[in-house]
Amino acid sequence: MKTSIAFDIEVVSENALLLSWQQTISAVQHSDIIALQTQLNAQLTELIIESVASYHCLMIYYDFLKINTDELITKIHDIASTNSPEKDKLSGDIHSATPLTEQPCISIPVYYDTEQEWDLRAVAQQCGISIEEVIKLHSSSVYRSYALGFTPGFCYLASLPKALTLPRKSTPRTKVPKGAVAIAEQQTAVYPNESPGGWHIIGQTPLAMYRTHNGEFTPAITVGKNVQFYAISKAQFLAMKQSEKL
Amino acid sequence: MNKNFLEILSINGKASIQDLGRLSAQHLGFSVSGAADEYAFRYANKLITDYQKTITGSMVQHQKNCAVLEVTLGQISLRANVDCIIAITGADCQVQLSNASMNKTPIANWQCYQLTRGDIIDFSMPKNGLHSYIAVQGGFSCQENKQAFLASFAQTENEMLLGLMGEKLTVGSQLFFADELLAAESNNTERSLTSAESLKTNSTPKNTNKPELFYANQELTLRFIANKLFLQLSAEKQQQFLSTRYTVSPDSNRMGYRLLPKNYTTEILPECLRAASNLSKPVTFGTIQLPANNQPIVLMKERQTMGGYPVLGTVIQTDLFRLSQMRPGQEIKFSEISYQQAQQQLKAFYQKF
C-alpha cells in the first residue's frame, strides 16, 4: 500500500494554507504534490478558490467563511492518506510502468546565442567549458516542469546538469526579449514576454509560451511535464518566428 | 457604440482599473492584482448600492465589487460623457466639480454624486494617503467591449504586454461602464435627486460616520500571523523584530512595501535558517519576506506568485488595506496575532459591506 510522502500544513493567512514537503527538487515528490492538488481540487471544489504548486509546496486558497480551518486541514489529511484507485491513476508517474523520464516530452526549439548577443559566452567561461558543451549539456537533458510563476506562462524547469550551475546575475537586466531561454542555479526557463530578468540568457525560442483564445490563457508548458530543448539555426529561428505571427 | 464613459482629460500620476483581481489564475503565473485599499474600494461601491436602494427601494446585487478607477496621488481630471452616478473614496484629493458653465464646486470625499454630461471632476494631489477610488454605477470595464479577462478587469502593470487588460490609462482614455443599468432606471423611476447636495444627504451609509477612522493616524501596527520559521527564532530575535520601528521606503509600490529599520539592527535570521529557506515557493497577500539586508518586504496586491526569500509570516488583510495608504517615511511596527483572530477581523470587515 502506498502512503503519500509526508507533508506539513501551515495556516499562513486568513484564507490560505501552505502544504510543505521536504525542501528539495525531486520529481517523485513533485508528482505526489500535483496528484494531491488534483485530488483536492476535485473533491473540495466549492471550498477551494485556487491552488498553486511549486517545487516542494502547495498553497491552497479557500473560502474561510464556508469552512472551519481545522476541519479543512483534517479533510486534506484524509484525502492525502486515502489510497483510492483514482489516486493511483492520477499519480500515474509513480505507479505506472512508465518511468518518469519516458513520459511524453514537450520539445522547445532554441536558437542558441552563438552570435553572442547575450550570456552564452559568459556562461561558458564561468562554467569553465566550451560554448558547444554548454549547448550540448542544456539540450541533452530532460527537465521536469515544477511551477508556473513570476509572470504568466513562465515555467520553472529543473534540474540543469551540475556543470551549468551558476548563481543568478548580480545585476538583473531591465529587459530580456520575448522567448529568451535562460538558466540560473539548477533551473532553466523561457521568458514568455519581454520583462526584467536576472537569469543568464543562452538563446531564444520562436515558440509562443502561451495561447489566448476566447479570454482563456493556456500556457505551452504546464506543471508536471517533461521538457527538452533542441538547437535550431538562425534561419530556422527566423522562419519559425514568422510563422508564429500568422 | 457605447457612449457611457468618463474621459481622462489630464493625468499626472498613476491610474488603473481595479476590482478584486484574478483570484483563481495564480496557478498560471498571474498576479492577483486588484484594488490596493479594499476598504475604500468596497465603500465606494456600497455608496452607489445604497443610493440605488433609496431610488428603487431594493438592493441591486451587481454593484458589489464592481471595477473602479484607482488613482494614485491624485492629479487627474475626468469628464463625464453621459449623466452618471459616481462615488469617490480613499485619499482626499479635494475634488472640484466643474459643470458646463464652468462653475466650480468642491465635493466631499466618501460620497456619491450624480454627474451631468459634460461635468468635469478635478483631483488634486492628496495631502495624506495614496490611493483614491472612483466607482461608477454599473462598474468600469477597461475596454469598450466590456470583457473581463480571467474574471477580472484589474490592470496589472507588468502584464499589460499580454494585450488583454485594456490600454494603459493616459490622456484621452475612455473609461467605459455598463449602459443597460442606466436605461432600465430611466424607464422605471423618476429621478428626483439631481444636485450634488441632495445626493450627499441621502447616501451616507448609516452605520459608518467617519470612514477615515479606519486608517492609522500616525504609526501603523501591522498585525501578522507568525509562521513556523518565526517561531523557531530565539525569543531575543523575535523580540528584536517586534520592537523595531520601520519606516516605509520610497521603493514601495503596488507589488510590495519595503520597510527600513529606523535604528541599526543585527541580523534577525541566523544563517542556518536563512540557508534552509532558499527554494522558490508560493507567496500570498501580506507575506513578510526578509532578504539578507534585514529590510522586510510586505507583499501587496501586485506581487508575483512565487518568492525565494525567507518568510516570517503574513500580515492580516485589514491591516494591509491600511498599509496601502501609507507614504514613504511613515512608521510601522509589527505585532503577533492568531489566525483565528485574523479571520474574525476579516469576517467583521466583510460584514460592513
Side-chain angles (χ1 to χ4, degrees), chain A residues 78-109:
Chain A
D78 286 346
I79 292 170
S81 58
T82 303
N83 196 15
S84 67
E86 277 88 278
K87 182 171 192 256
D88 289 351
K89 226 192 279 172
L90 286 161
S91 37
D93 287 343
I94 300 171
H95 299 288
S96 74
T98 316
L100 285 167
T101 51
E102 282 174 32
Q103 295 278 311
C105 208
I106 299 172
S107 291
I108 304 193

Side-chain angles (χ1 to χ4, degrees), chain B residues 206-237:
Chain B
K206 290 185 179 72
N207 52 358
T208 323
N209 270 329
K210 292 198 170 174
E212 302 87 352
L213 290 178
F214 177 78
Y215 303 98
N217 227 346
Q218 310 278 2
E219 176 188 73
L220 174 64
T221 299
L222 294 176
R223 290 162 293 177
F224 75 106
I225 298 163
N227 69 354
K228 207 162 87 166
L229 180 61
F230 184 80
L231 297 171
Q232 280 180 299
L233 299 175
S234 66
E236 188 203 334
K237 285 298 176 187

Side-chain angles (χ1 to χ4, degrees), chain A residues 8 10-12 14 23 49-54 59 61-62 69-70 148-153 194 210 212 217, chain B residues 23-30 161-162 164 227-228 276-279 282-284 304-305 314 316-317 339 343:
Chain A
D8 239 357
E10 244 189 303
V11 181
V12 304
E14 298 94 330
Q23 195 179 204
I49 295 166
E50 172 65 293
S51 62
V52 183
S54 68
M59 186 84 96
Y61 296 89
Y62 64 100
T69 301
D70 288 325
L148 279 163
F150 172 62
T151 74
E194 201 174 78
Y210 59 86
T212 53
F217 181 93
Chain B
L23 297 164
S24 303
Q26 292 180 78
H27 67 283
L28 298 169
F30 283 89
L161 274 174
L162 283 161
L164 294 158
N227 69 354
K228 207 162 87 166
S277 358
N278 266 337
L279 207 45
V283 290
T284 187
Q304 288 159 345
T305 54
T314 312
I316 72 172
Q317 291 193 33
Y339 78 82
Q343 286 173 334

Side-chain angles (χ1 to χ4, degrees), chain A residues 92-164:
Chain A
D93 287 343
I94 300 171
H95 299 288
S96 74
T98 316
L100 285 167
T101 51
E102 282 174 32
Q103 295 278 311
C105 208
I106 299 172
S107 291
I108 304 193
V110 185
Y111 163 49
Y112 284 98
D113 173 40
T114 42
E115 276 178 29
Q116 287 147 35
E117 286 177 84
W118 304 100
D119 301 319
L120 184 54
R121 190 217 277 258
V123 164
Q125 276 174 353
Q126 282 173 63
C127 295
I129 55 181
S130 68
I131 286 176
E132 290 72 30
E133 279 206 73
V134 173
I135 295 173
K136 184 158 176 252
L137 283 168
H138 185 256
S139 56
S140 58
S141 306
V142 177
Y143 305 100
R144 182 182 172 87
S145 56
Y146 282 89
L148 279 163
F150 172 62
T151 74
F154 182 97
C155 197
Y156 293 84
L157 309 170
S159 303
L160 272 183
K162 287 203 162 57
L164 291 181

Side-chain angles (χ1 to χ4, degrees), chain B residues 230-251:
Chain B
F230 184 80
L231 297 171
Q232 280 180 299
L233 299 175
S234 66
E236 188 203 334
K237 285 298 176 187
Q238 289 186 28
Q239 196 42 43
Q240 181 189 324
F241 181 73
L242 297 172
S243 59
T244 303
R245 271 175 172 65
Y246 297 90
T247 55
V248 175
S249 156
D251 284 335

Side-chain angles (χ1 to χ4, degrees), chain A residues 186-200:
Chain A
Q186 330 92 315
Q187 306 160 116
T188 183
V190 180
Y191 286 93
N193 275 314
E194 201 174 78
S195 74
W199 293 21
H200 307 270

